[in-house]
Amino acid sequence: MLTTFALTVTLLVLFYLAVSVKVVRQGYQYTIERFGRFTEVARPGLNFYPAFFYAVGRKINMMEQVVDIPGQEIITKDNAMVSVDGVVFFQVLDAAKAAYEVSELYVAIMQLATTNLRTVMGSMDLDETLSKRDEINARLLSVVDHATNAWGIKITRVELKDIRPPADIVNAMGRQMKAEREKRALILESEGLRASEILKAEGQKQSQILEAEGRREAAFRDAEAREREAEAEAKATQMVSEAIASGNAQAINYFIAQKYVEAVSQFATSPNAKTILFPVEATQLIGTLGGIGALAKEALGEGAPPTPPAAPTRRGPFGQGPA
Amino acid sequence: MDAGMTGWLAMLDDHWGWLVFAALLAMGEVVIPGVFLIWVALAAAVTGLVALAFPISVPLQLLLFAGLCLLSVWGGRRWYTANPVDSQDPLLNDRAARLVGEVVTVVEPIDNGRGRVKVGDGVWSCRGPDAPVGARVRVTGAEGSVLTVEPA
């Protein structure tokens, strides 16, 4: 019997020690209550709180945690129904407050985030909710963080996971985007066409201008050439007439006769030389030859020169007679 | 008391039984996390040594063991208090305390001693002398999730 008693006492002691020794793992803190009243927080490590007097109240997770904001339908300012879900990251900074200032911390945070999400997104229209995610996150964070300050927790981050507008709106948005792009494509295309037409016309204009300029230049040069030619002709004629005036009229006959004979020789050597048309009067040629003879005689100083044959009139460039 | 129990107790009669018990407890300490069983193991070992030295009865051995358990756990607690386990990172899980000494920017004016400051890419409530938006302040401490700041 004594053995049984001793054994019972031993077991009691072991049990008492087992209940009294609290080993708190890293990442947690335990609230300790003495007769139901919170006294202190047990930090990670070995803690000894005699049983019966002290009891562990709550085991608080001090690590950063995440709470899901369940998917929900929200009506935006412009009456579009969007379904949204997200996550809230938070960390307990004060174990006692998180344990006793709020009942059901996770539910409280979730509800707070849910209702404020409605408030924030309900004040925006659909396009804003889709494009201003960061702003929604920031506003939500600010509101929820303020509200949870008293609970000894810090909301570190609020993120919207998914914003889904209704299917028909998504469809319309897709069509709008497509139309927008098509519009841009059409505009670009016609702009290209316009530019190409303009460039073409400009090229044509340029080519016409250049052509006209070429013609103008050519005409100028032609005129110049004719002028120069006339000048040269006039000068030549003048020189000849001067030579005649200062010398003898027979001199002219020399040229004429030379040209005449040259012309005849050219006729003679032409490929169809079988028939030689002699459009000139042989007598005149003879006369020319006679002129040459007279010229020779005069040059040799024998007698008076015979009268020169009628010289063929020569036409100047402008249809005028020789100067 | 049945035969099995008596048989187990009979084993304790032998001082070697206590020493084996101590070794088993020490092994349990390794397997089961928690710095508790090792003190019980120590008590069992001492009981075994005493039983080896002085032939005492089993009930006495058990009571001695119980007393030694209380003593060793109490001693262990004292030892722990005197030699706290140093953590390589004592501020682990203490996010606010980590921020002490940092210079941060005011994003909501500190008015009537309350405002908000930007820390990293998050925003924290703060308490301190009034300051306009954009002012730079130094974190001096934290009360829960509210940082205390002073002009930097």
Side-chain angles (χ1 to χ4, degrees):
Chain A
M1 208 59 209
L2 181 64
T3 310
T4 312
F5 171 72
L7 190 65
T8 316
V9 169
T10 309
L11 288 176
L12 179 67
V13 167
L14 284 178
F15 180 73
Y16 185 73
L17 289 178
V19 181
S20 302
V21 171
K22 309 288 181 203
V23 177
V24 180
R25 315 294 315 274
Q26 184 67 53
Y28 289 85
Q29 286 187 7
Y30 295 175
T31 58
I32 303 299
E33 294 166 3
R34 185 170 191 178
F35 302 123
R37 173 177 282 184
F38 167 77
T39 52
E40 58 187 293
V41 168
R43 296 179 176 278
L46 182 79
N47 291 273
F48 188 84
Y49 290 103
F52 309 125
F53 304 102
Y54 293 93
V56 170
R58 301 263 165 73
K59 300 179 176 178
I60 303 294
N61 186 344
M62 302 299 284
M63 297 176 271
E64 191 159 343
Q65 296 166 76
V66 58
V67 175
D68 242 332
I69 306 174
Q72 55 185 308
E73 304 270 306
I74 290 173
I75 296 173
T76 58
K77 201 166 145 194
D78 52 351
N79 293 326
M81 188 93 99
V82 287
S83 53
V84 188
D85 60 357
V87 283
V88 175
F89 291 86
F90 74 95
Q91 187 168 18
V92 177
L93 298 179
D94 188 324
K97 279 185 182 169
Y100 301 111
E101 291 282 7
V102 58
S103 169
E104 302 208 55
L105 180 64
Y106 299 89
V107 178
I109 291 172
M110 200 187 75
Q111 292 297 333
L112 201 58
T114 305
T115 49
N116 281 297
L117 185 61
R118 278 173 190 280
T119 313
V120 172
M121 286 187 72
S123 68
M124 292 177 157
D125 53 33
L126 181 64
D127 284 344
E128 279 180 319
T129 60
L130 294 175
S131 59
K132 294 188 177 169
R133 214 174 252 242
D134 280 351
E135 196 184 303
I136 298 172
N137 288 343
R139 278 174 66 183
L140 208 52
L141 174 64
S142 169
V143 174
V144 179
D145 193 31
H146 267 301
T148 55
N149 256 354
W151 303 342
I153 67 170
K154 168 70 193 159
I155 306 287
T156 51
R157 196 167 273 279
V158 177
E159 294 287 348
L160 293 186
K161 275 201 294 194
D162 203 3
I163 303 177
R164 278 184 312 274
D168 52 340
I169 299 261
V170 173
N171 193 9
M173 275 157 61
R175 278 192 286 124
Q176 187 193 350
M177 191 269 292
K178 196 178 154 203
E180 194 79 41
R181 270 159 208 263
E182 269 169 5
K183 177 187 154 199
R184 257 152 56 188
L186 277 174
I187 288 173
L188 278 175
E189 212 174 312
S190 46
E191 260 175 10
L193 271 174
R194 178 172 167 264
S196 99
E197 289 294 324
I198 288 172
L199 280 176
K200 248 191 253 174
E202 226 151 63
Q204 242 165 26
K205 178 190 163 200
Q206 200 68 25
S207 92
Q208 277 172 2
I209 287 172
L210 281 174
E211 204 185 299
E213 260 174 15
R215 276 192 279 117
R216 178 166 165 267
E217 190 71 16
F220 267 110
R221 302 241 168 145
D222 272 348
E224 220 172 14
R226 279 170 73 181
E227 246 172 51
R228 275 297 288 133
E229 212 176 351
E231 242 170 63
E233 200 80 42
K235 206 163 183 184
T237 318
Q238 198 184 4
M239 279 167 81
V240 169
S241 69
E242 263 171 21
I244 291 167
S246 65
N248 196 310
Q250 288 297 343
I252 209 163
N253 281 339
Y254 168 75
F255 288 111
I256 297 165
Q258 205 173 28
K259 290 272 177 192
Y260 223 101
V261 172
E262 262 171 32
V264 171
S265 80
Q266 260 174 19
F267 276 124
T269 56
S270 75
N272 47 350
K274 280 174 190 163
T275 338
I276 300 173
L277 283 169
F278 242 86
V280 282
E281 288 170 47
T283 49
Q284 223 171 344
L285 179 65
I286 306 301
T288 312
L289 290 175
I292 297 168
L295 200 70
K297 273 189 208 150
E298 194 189 342
L300 297 169
E302 287 178 22
T307 46
T313 46
R314 243 187 116 202
R315 289 172 63 85
F318 298 105
Q320 295 159 339
Chain B
M1 189 148 299
D2 62 27
M5 189 91 170
T6 326
W8 180 76
L9 281 172
M11 206 181 80
L12 281 185
D13 204 1
D14 190 6
H15 50 265
W16 291 115
W18 283 108
L19 294 177
V20 168
F21 184 48
L24 286 174
L25 283 170
M27 275 164 67
E29 170 69 36
V30 177
V31 178
I32 306 161
V35 197
F36 167 64
L37 288 179
I38 192 72
W39 305 114
V40 182
L42 186 68
V46 173
T47 311
L49 290 176
V50 170
L52 181 67
F54 311 101
I56 50 175
S57 68
V58 171
L60 212 56
Q61 285 177 18
L62 283 169
L63 290 175
L64 177 67
F65 169 65
L68 282 172
C69 270
L70 285 172
L71 205 66
S72 69
V73 169
W74 176 73
R77 185 183 172 230
R78 277 194 61 121
W79 184 81
Y80 261 115
T81 321
N83 307 286
V85 182
D86 279 332
S87 170
Q88 198 170 34
D89 192 350
L91 296 181
L92 207 60
N93 298 116
D94 200 347
R95 191 180 266 245
R98 267 179 198 283
L99 299 175
V100 172
E102 270 194 46
V103 176
V104 293
T105 314
V106 177
V107 289
E108 262 177 49
I110 304 178
D111 188 21
N112 289 329
R114 280 188 163 271
R116 280 166 83 76
V117 291
K118 189 172 179 64
V119 181
D121 65 343
V123 178
W124 289 64
S125 296
C126 70
R127 207 185 301 239
D130 289 5
V133 170
R136 302 180 67 72
V137 291
R138 187 186 308 279
V139 178
T140 55
E143 298 160 21
S145 63
V146 180
L147 302 175
T148 50
V149 296
E150 61 175 23

